[in-house]
């Protein structure tokens, strides 16, 4: 067992470090999964829900406060983990706190936007400030073009990356389970990469919590969804993934230097890019114009169900992440274990969700009054 753990990148199998990472994942998973129904119940009571309209797919009010439970699950897991094993390296501690602070700001802004609506320019400004927070603690691209403006270009690239990924993940949140699954797959893939380097301890811990929270959320979000993450959850997922992907102190000497890291989030990036270009050609504001021009809308238009569309895009995301791991030189055994783990956990979660749906359907046939409104 010890040799196997070493072969997949765990430098000290007899130590407690990797067990803390696993424990962090489990705590985030369980807290999010168990807390989500209570958030849903309260959201329905106070009216925190997306109302049906021509653009949305839901036919009844759908609670949109799932992002609050996701954030709570991540924070709870990190608190428990650092209590069991305090972070002794000050730099790592500062980076974790900066990511959580920036994520908390975006959760708040996203939640207010979900309930009351905020101007696109205001949301963009807050995202800019959250990106600058990362730059301030040296979570950033480090340009190496050999000019006096390298620090400036590194900051610009970091801002574009963080804002772009944050919005890309948000725009993918169009059908049940899609954005949550993409976040889970990407978090676990990045975790497998960061675990290979002891200097990326901050990324490893945060990604374990994020992956667990995403899986706990999917237990309630796979079609037919009982709750959605809203902008609060999507902004949080996008921001944290963008931040943790930068924790390797990446050197950017050419545009192609961005390819390995971009591969992890290529599907949301490509989807957002094509939507942005299409809307510009139609002389529409890409930031504020709603529409059904995303990849998942195109698959739905071809006759695929929501479940099938979600699974297809999950598979595409997983393949791209495995390619990204290979490009970064990750051991093939680690890639295989990561792929097997991701597929198994997603399969188990989907099976549990569908079993609950089938059970509810059977109860409706026996006594419809037993089932609460969705």
């Amino acid at each position: 067992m010890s040799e196997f753990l070493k072969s997949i990148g765990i430098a000290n199998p007899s130590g407690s470090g990797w067990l803390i990472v696993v424990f962090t994942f489990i705590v985030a998973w369980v807290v999010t999964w168990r807390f989500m129904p209570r958030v849903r119940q309260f959201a329905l009571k106070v009216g925190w829900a997306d109302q049906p309209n021509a653009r949305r797919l839901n036919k009844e009010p759908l609670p949109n406060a799932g992002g609050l439970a996701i954030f709570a699950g991540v924070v709870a897991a990190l608190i428990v983990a650092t209590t069991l094993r305090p972070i002794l390296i000050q730099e790592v501690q500062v980076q974790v706190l900066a990511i959580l602070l920036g994520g908390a700001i975006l959760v708040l802004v996203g939640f207010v936007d979900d309930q009351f609506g905020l101007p696109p320019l205001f949301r963009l400004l807050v995202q800019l400030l959250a990106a600058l927070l990362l730059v301030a603690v040296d979570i950033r691209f480090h340009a190496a073009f050999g000019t006096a403006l390298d620090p400036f270009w590194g900051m610009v690239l970091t801002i574009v990356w963080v804002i772009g990924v944050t919005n890309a993940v948000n725009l993918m949140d169009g059908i049940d389970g899609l954005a949550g699954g993409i976040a889970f797959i990407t978090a676990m893939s990045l975790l497998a990469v960061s675990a290979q380097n002891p200097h990326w301890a901050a990324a490893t811990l945060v990604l374990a919590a994020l992956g667990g929270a995403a899986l706990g959320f999917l237990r309630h979000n796979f079609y037919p969804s009982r709750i959605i993450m809203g902008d609060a959850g999507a902004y949080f997922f996008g921001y944290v993934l963008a931040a943790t992907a930068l924790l390797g102190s990446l050197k950017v000497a050419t545009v192609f230097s961005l390819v390995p890291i971009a591969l992890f989030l290529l599907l949301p990036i490509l989807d957002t890019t094509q939507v942005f270009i299409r809307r510009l050609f139609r002389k529409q504001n890409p930031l504020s114009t709603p529409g059904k021009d995303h990849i998942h809308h195109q698959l739905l238009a071809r006759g695929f169900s929501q479940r099938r569309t979600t699974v297809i895009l999950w598979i595409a995301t997983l393949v791209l992440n495995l390619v990204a791991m290979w490009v970064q030189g990750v051991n093939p055994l680690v890639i295989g274990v990561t792929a097997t783990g991701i597929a198994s956990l997603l399969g188990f979660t989907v099976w549990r969700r569908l079993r609950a749906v089938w059970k509810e359907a059977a109860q409706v046939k026996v006594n419809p009054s037993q089932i609460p409104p969705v």
Side-chain angles (χ1 to χ4, degrees):
M1 184 63 178
S2 177
E3 291 301 319
F4 173 74
L5 291 175
K6 285 184 178 180
S7 69
I8 60 174
I10 297 174
N12 184 17
S14 61
S16 62
W18 69 277
L19 291 174
I20 293 297
V21 172
V22 173
F23 185 72
T24 301
F25 175 86
I26 293 173
V27 170
W29 181 6
V30 173
V31 170
T32 306
W33 165 43
R34 299 299 294 176
F35 189 41
M36 198 67 68
R38 290 161 179 77
V39 172
R40 177 184 181 275
Q41 185 178 17
F42 184 77
L44 283 173
K45 183 178 180 180
V46 298
W48 295 344
D50 280 3
Q51 302 300 321
N53 60 34
R55 185 169 64 92
R56 295 192 175 104
L57 298 175
N58 55 298
K59 305 301 181 185
E60 297 179 355
L62 189 60
N64 58 13
L68 301 182
I70 291 168
F71 181 70
V74 170
V75 172
L78 290 175
I79 289 174
V80 172
T82 52
T83 300
L84 293 176
R85 186 178 181 179
I87 299 175
L88 301 178
I89 304 174
Q90 185 176 3
E91 181 183 355
V92 173
Q93 191 175 45
V94 169
Q95 288 177 337
V96 171
L97 292 175
I99 292 172
L100 288 180
L101 176 58
I105 293 170
L106 291 181
V107 167
L108 176 61
V109 170
F111 178 73
V112 173
D113 184 48
D114 285 329
Q115 312 313 325
F116 308 105
L118 290 172
L121 189 60
F122 177 80
R123 301 199 305 266
L124 192 64
L125 177 61
V126 174
Q127 291 169 14
L128 172 61
L129 294 174
L132 288 174
L133 174 63
L134 297 179
V135 174
V137 297
D138 204 34
I139 302 175
R140 55 179 295 171
F141 286 113
H142 292 269
F145 301 121
T147 70
L149 292 176
D150 281 0
F152 171 76
W153 290 120
M155 182 181 69
V156 170
L157 283 171
T158 302
I159 291 170
V160 171
W161 168 258
V162 173
I163 293 177
V165 170
T166 298
N167 285 286
V169 173
N170 183 43
L171 291 172
M172 289 296 289
D173 187 27
I175 58 175
D176 293 344
L178 180 55
I182 289 175
F184 171 71
I185 293 167
T186 306
M188 298 309 291
S189 300
L190 286 171
L191 172 61
V193 174
S194 67
Q196 309 303 307
N197 192 325
H199 299 295
W200 297 349
T204 304
L205 203 60
V206 173
L207 287 166
L210 193 73
L215 196 65
F217 169 69
L218 283 173
R219 177 64 178 78
H220 304 277
N221 184 243
F222 190 74
Y223 183 86
S225 174
R226 295 177 63 81
I227 187 170
I228 59 176
M229 68 176 75
D231 286 354
Y235 284 165
F236 182 68
F237 274 139
Y239 178 79
V240 175
L241 288 173
T244 51
L246 293 174
L247 279 172
S249 299
L250 299 171
K251 300 289 184 182
V252 179
T254 67
V255 174
F256 295 105
S257 304
L258 299 173
V259 172
I261 186 174
L263 279 172
F264 286 102
L265 290 152
L266 189 60
L267 184 63
I269 291 171
L270 287 178
D271 179 62
T272 301
T273 301
Q274 65 93 17
V275 167
F276 196 89
I277 293 173
R278 284 172 183 265
R279 292 179 184 178
L280 284 179
F281 275 127
R282 293 197 297 262
K283 298 182 179 180
Q284 298 173 330
N285 185 342
L287 297 177
S288 60
T289 304
K292 293 188 176 182
D293 45 7
H294 293 278
I295 294 174
H296 52 270
H297 290 132
Q298 296 169 23
L299 290 175
L300 291 171
R302 290 177 178 269
F304 291 99
S305 66
Q306 281 202 53
R307 287 176 186 165
R308 188 164 295 181
T309 297
T310 297
V311 172
I312 289 172
L313 295 178
W314 281 358
I315 293 172
T317 301
L318 179 58
V319 169
L320 289 170
N321 274 264
L322 297 179
V323 170
M325 294 173 67
W326 175 75
V327 169
Q328 295 217 354
V330 177
N331 187 311
L333 179 60
V334 175
I335 295 176
V337 170
T338 302
T340 302
I342 289 173
S344 299
L345 288 170
L346 281 176
F348 174 75
T349 301
V350 168
W351 172 72
R352 291 277 296 180
R353 175 68 188 126
L354 293 180
R355 193 178 73 162
V357 171
W358 296 330
K359 184 177 180 180
E360 290 176 356
Q363 288 179 341
V364 167
K365 292 180 181 178
V366 176
N367 185 359
S369 65
Q370 294 180 6
I371 305 300
V374 177

